[in-house]
Amino acid sequence: TNDGTVTTGIGTFTEGVAIPDSKYLRLGTGEDFIAYFDGTSTYLSGVAGNVNIQAKHTENSIILVPDGAVSIYHDDTKKFETTSGGAEISNGTSAAQLNIRGGEGQAATVQFISDDGDDNNDNWRLRSSTNNDFYLQNYSSGSWENTIVATGDAEVSLYHNHAVKLATTNDGTVTTGIATVTQGANLDG
């Protein structure tokens, strides 16, 4: 034909297929799927319906929904999905789990940034350190400060402005500063 070769049946290529930059591989009657390389980036584009990537036939690995979710699967069970509000981790009918693993000798951290992170007090983090401590920290003063520190098999400390105000001990609690009771106290000792 004027715009290429039309083959009816199966075509076999012994040396591969070479498609120049910015030219398309089009699949489907209405060019439903397009693949191309523009010289810088590779594009896979579904014109109609979802784009399903399968590690083996009939086992979903990634599903891309137009104007919707991106879903990632492990052994054909959905584990991660983007949503209009962010993302969701699931595990079919089993308990879901998110692992944040630091490298050898390194901490693991989950950071929460609100309001586009344009102010110091928009930043909080949960941090598991290599010294058996777990931290809830804030960045209000321009550096990370402890709000709560929990030590495995030991104390939990609550902080105010980077100073311990309440800490658990093997005998109970220790309060630093003034303890104000507004409804009365029952002291048993």
Side-chain angles (χ1 to χ4, degrees), residues 108 110 125-129 131-137 146 148-152 155-157:
V110 177
R125 71 180 182 185
L126 296 173
R127 186 174 181 87
S128 175
S129 73
N131 63 357
N132 201 30
D133 290 342
F134 182 77
Y135 302 89
L136 170 62
Q137 298 177 314
N146 296 330
I148 299 173
V149 176
T151 301
E155 72 277 354
V156 174
S157 299

